[in-house]
Amino acid sequence: MSRLFANDLLKETGTENPPQLCFLCGEDTLAVAQLEKRMLKKLTDGDVLSHTAFDGQALDLDRLADACAFCPMFQPFNVIIIRDLNPAALPASGMDTLKTILSDLPPRVIVLVVMRSLQVYEIKRNAPVFTDKFAKLAQFFEKQGVLCICEKKNAVMLGKTIQERARRHGSEISRELAELLANRCLCDSTLIHAELDKLLACADGEPI
């Protein structure tokens, strides 16, 4: 497939034949975590046992291969999540082994590689450029599956999100204050989420 925006990936995830390979990354780590959660909700019944998670910092390739060979009987899909996959932590031939495993997935097996904390690219000329460490991995997913980058949003975009969240919690905040909050938090969604929680608690249903 290719690169998809988060909303487009969610739409594809809700189809009868969702992408089997997805690489989720981005500066907006909160958006990455939320995307993972929303994809899991679409792919499973919400049961905590409905997916298998691997630590990408110490990935057991044999165990991964066994997990990928499993065809689900009572779930629509066998969902496997690899969080913070670190190519440098794999053995010498580990990347080739990993690609072999992921290139031959049985039907109804879905692998999500979710980069929650590792920086995988740099912004150059206003565009994400993957570092040498992650370039081949990103290219593999872009060619064989889906690459989804949750880039940092600007203050205007985040301001709208802040206003929407305030309304959902029975409060309100002006556009100017919402954008000021975004800028004060350096347009970091995780910081904004935490600070908005505090403001909503203090407002107690009143305008912020």
Side-chain angles (χ1 to χ4, degrees), residues 22-198:
C22 300
F23 187 90
L24 316 180
C25 64
E27 300 163 276
D28 194 337
T29 54
L30 179 62
V32 173
Q34 290 175 336
L35 178 58
E36 175 194 338
K37 184 178 179 180
R38 293 174 71 184
M39 290 180 71
L40 273 178
K41 187 175 181 179
K42 285 180 175 287
L43 294 169
T44 71
D45 60 3
D47 188 338
V48 294
L49 300 177
S50 60
H51 67 275
T52 306
F54 286 84
D55 178 5
Q57 300 282 350
L59 185 59
D60 186 330
L61 292 173
D62 290 333
R63 181 168 165 257
L64 176 65
D66 289 341
C68 288
F70 170 72
C71 291
M73 294 181 64
F74 304 107
Q75 298 289 342
F77 301 102
N78 173 19
V79 182
I80 297 164
I81 302 175
I82 306 173
R83 295 193 177 102
D84 291 322
L85 176 58
N86 184 3
L90 295 174
S93 59
M95 185 55 69
D96 290 334
T97 302
L98 176 63
K99 289 180 179 179
T100 299
I101 295 170
L102 299 182
S103 296
D104 191 27
L105 294 176
R108 297 166 60 209
V109 175
I110 295 175
V111 177
L112 308 179
V113 174
V114 185
M115 309 303 289
R116 287 186 167 190
S117 60
L118 296 181
Q119 182 179 353
V120 300
Y121 65 80
E122 299 174 348
I123 298 297
K124 295 182 179 180
R125 297 181 179 178
N126 297 319
V129 177
F130 284 86
T131 62
D132 292 341
K133 182 178 175 180
F134 293 98
K136 291 183 179 179
L137 185 63
Q139 290 168 5
F140 171 79
F141 274 85
E142 190 170 6
K143 182 179 179 180
Q144 301 290 334
V146 171
L147 175 63
C148 181
I149 303 175
C150 298
E151 298 184 56
K152 183 179 287 188
K153 300 178 180 69
N154 60 35
V156 174
M157 297 170 67
L158 288 168
K160 293 178 181 178
T161 302
I162 291 168
Q163 287 185 293
E164 290 171 2
R165 185 158 180 256
R167 281 194 290 270
R168 289 199 303 271
H169 285 76
S171 184
E172 63 180 57
I173 183 172
S174 68
R175 179 179 61 82
E176 293 79 7
L177 285 179
E179 292 178 9
L180 176 62
L181 174 61
N183 280 317
R184 289 284 178 88
C185 292
L186 305 177
C187 292
D188 185 312
S189 291
T190 303
L191 289 176
I192 291 170
H193 192 276
E195 292 304 315
L196 186 56
D197 276 347
K198 298 174 187 176

